[in-house]
Amino acid sequence: MLIAQNHLQLIIEVAVIIHMGVLLLINIIPFTLSMVLFLSLILTMLLAGIFSIDSAMLFLPFVSHQEFTHPFGPLAVFAWVTLSASASLLSEVEIKSTSITALSLILFGVIAVAGGLMHRSFLILWFLGWFIGYFIMSKSFRRSVKITRKRVVTAVGAAVGGFALLEILSKVLNASVLSPLLRLSRIEEYSLPSLKMVINNTQLWGHVQGSCYWASSCLGGSDGYLSLPMNLINTLTLPFPLFFGVLVTKKDIIDYMLPGIFGVAFDFGYGGLLALLCWCAFVMVSGFYVLRKYRSKRRVGSRRYLGREALLIGALTAFIAQSIIGLFLFNRTLNGSAMLTYIFLSAMVVAHLVSVRSSLR
C-alpha cells in the first residue's frame, strides 16, 4: 500500500522520495564550483547565525531555545566541509582563496562555540566532522596527514579544557544546562536499565509486544522510538502512536541515553539494524568510489566535476560523522528532524552514482 501503516514504512517511503528528488536535482542543475562555493558559504553563515541566536537564548529570561543543533548539526558539517573543499579546489586550479579560507575558519569557530554551548554532543559531531573532512581532503588534494604526539595531546587538551570551561560556566551562571557532568550523570542513571530493556526484549523484527513503556499500546515494533518529526506525521494525519507526554521523561531511556544501534534494534529488530548498517556501508563505499572518479578526472585536466566533487566531499563527511555519532553514541542524532537530515545526506552521496555511470566511464 502507498499509505504508510507504521513508522518504518513512512521512513522508507520518505527516504525513497528524497533520494529520487535529490538524484534529479543533482543531474539537472549544473553545479559549478562557483555555485557550490556561494551556496555553501550562504548555508554556513545562515547556520552559524541560527546556532548563535539559539545559544544566546539560553541566557535570556522568558525566552525558550529551540535546540537547532540536533536537526541541523550534520547539515552544518556538510556546509562547512563543502565550503572548505571548494576553497581547496580553487587553489588546485590556481585561483587564490585566502579570504575564503580565513572566513571559513571564523565560521568554524563561531559554530563550534555556539553549538557547543547548546549541546556537548554537537561538539563531538563537529570536531569529528572536521577530522573526517580533513582526512578526505588530504587524500583528495595530495596533502600529507601527520598525526604526531604533540597534535594528539593538543587536541585532547583542547577537548578537556572546553568541557572544563563549560562546567565552570554552569557553576558561575547557575545554568545546569551547560554542565557536561550533568549529562554524564544522566547517562549513568539511564544506561543500565536501557540496556536491560533492549537486550531482553529485542527480536529479529521489532520487540516483544508490551515491553515498551506504554505497555498495552505497544505494537511490538515501529512504536516511534525512532521516527520522523512528529509535526510531519500530524500534518499527514497518519494514525501512528505519538507519545508527546513522555518524550523527555520515559522515552529518554532509548531516545537519548543509548547509542542508535540499540534504538534501531529495539524498534525495528536485529534485521532492521542489519539493513541499516548495510545501507550505511553501501553509501560510504559508493561515495568514495565516485570521489575517486572525480579526482581522476580533475588530475587529467578536467574542470567539469569540480563543483560535484566539493559537494560529494561535504555530503560524505557529514554522513559518516552523523552515522558514527548517531549509531554508536547518541540516538537522538538520528531521530526526528535529524533523520530527515540523515536521509538527505545519504541522497546527496548516492545521487552521484547516476552521473558516474552515464558520463564518467
Side-chain angles (χ1 to χ4, degrees):
M1 297 177 65
L2 294 178
I3 300 177
Q5 302 299 305
N6 54 48
H7 287 280
L8 179 58
Q9 290 182 21
L10 179 63
I11 292 170
I12 293 174
E13 289 183 7
V14 169
V16 170
I17 293 171
I18 291 177
H19 277 74
M20 292 178 62
V22 171
L23 188 149
L24 293 174
L25 182 71
I26 291 292
N27 287 279
I28 290 176
I29 299 178
F31 283 100
T32 62
L33 181 58
S34 58
M35 178 189 293
V36 171
L37 176 63
F38 174 76
L39 292 177
S40 60
L41 176 60
I42 295 299
L43 182 58
T44 306
M45 293 177 66
L46 177 64
L47 291 173
I50 291 175
F51 290 174
S52 298
I53 294 173
D54 199 28
S55 60
M57 290 181 179
L58 288 171
F59 306 98
L60 298 177
F62 311 112
V63 180
S64 61
H65 58 278
Q66 302 299 317
E67 302 187 358
F68 289 117
T69 51
H70 281 308
F72 300 143
L75 199 61
V77 174
F78 164 64
W80 186 83
V81 173
T82 301
L83 176 62
S84 298
S86 299
S88 296
L89 284 167
L90 285 177
S91 301
E92 288 288 311
V93 296
E94 299 180 351
I95 298 177
K96 290 185 178 180
S97 59
T98 307
S99 58
I100 297 174
T101 301
L103 180 57
S104 70
L105 292 176
I106 294 173
L107 291 172
F108 179 92
V110 171
I111 293 176
V113 173
L117 285 173
M118 181 59 63
H119 284 109
R120 268 55 65 199
S121 60
F122 170 79
L123 207 57
I124 300 174
L125 172 74
W126 186 243
F127 282 103
L128 178 63
W130 167 79
F131 176 78
I132 295 172
Y134 175 73
F135 181 81
I136 293 176
M137 285 187 283
S138 297
K139 296 298 182 181
S140 295
F141 308 130
R142 294 177 177 177
R143 300 171 186 168
S144 59
V145 181
K146 296 181 179 179
I147 302 177
T148 62
R149 179 181 299 178
K150 182 179 179 180
R151 290 185 176 183
V152 172
V153 172
T154 302
V156 173
V160 173
F163 279 85
L165 179 61
L166 285 172
E167 187 65 29
I168 294 172
L169 285 174
S170 70
K171 301 297 184 184
V172 173
L173 301 175
N174 195 26
S176 60
V177 69
L178 298 177
S179 173
L181 294 180
L182 175 63
R183 297 290 177 175
L184 292 176
S185 66
R186 290 182 65 196
I187 292 175
E188 180 182 3
E189 178 182 358
Y190 286 111
S191 58
L192 290 180
S194 299
L195 286 172
K196 183 177 179 180
M197 174 184 178
V198 171
I199 294 173
N200 291 342
N201 295 287
T202 301
Q203 299 178 330
L204 180 61
W205 300 108
H207 47 263
V208 176
Q209 190 168 3
S211 61
C212 48
Y213 170 73
W214 17 92
S216 61
S217 299
C218 180
L219 303 177
S222 296
D223 272 287
Y225 282 101
L226 269 78
S227 63
L228 293 171
M230 291 184 177
N231 290 334
L232 173 64
I233 296 173
N234 283 330
T235 301
L236 297 175
T237 64
L238 296 172
F240 298 163
L242 296 175
F243 302 93
F244 288 92
V246 295
L247 175 62
V248 183
T249 54
K250 298 302 180 181
K251 193 181 176 184
D252 244 2
I253 293 177
I254 288 183
D255 195 17
Y256 301 106
M257 296 303 133
L258 280 186
I261 54 173
F262 295 104
V264 173
F266 184 79
D267 216 15
F268 308 131
Y270 292 117
L273 175 61
L274 179 61
L276 177 60
L277 293 176
C278 289
W279 177 255
C280 291
F282 169 75
V283 173
M284 294 177 194
V285 170
S286 62
F288 283 114
Y289 164 75
V290 178
L291 190 59
R292 186 168 62 251
K293 291 290 185 180
Y294 285 159
R295 185 165 59 238
S296 64
K297 288 291 182 179
R298 169 168 52 85
R299 288 176 177 173
V300 296
S302 175
R303 298 189 179 185
R304 182 178 178 182
Y305 303 104
L306 295 181
R308 289 172 177 264
E309 185 176 356
L311 273 177
L312 182 55
I313 290 174
L316 185 59
T317 297
F319 180 83
I320 294 174
Q322 189 176 7
S323 296
I324 293 174
I325 300 299
L327 289 174
F328 301 105
L329 289 180
F330 303 104
N331 201 351
R332 193 175 183 181
T333 308
L334 291 178
N335 211 349
S337 299
M339 185 177 292
L340 284 177
T341 301
Y342 192 57
I343 293 172
F344 170 75
L345 293 174
S346 170
M348 284 296 295
V349 176
V350 175
H352 290 264
L353 280 174
V354 174
S355 60
V356 168
R357 290 174 178 172
S358 61
S359 58
L360 288 186
R361 284 183 174 178

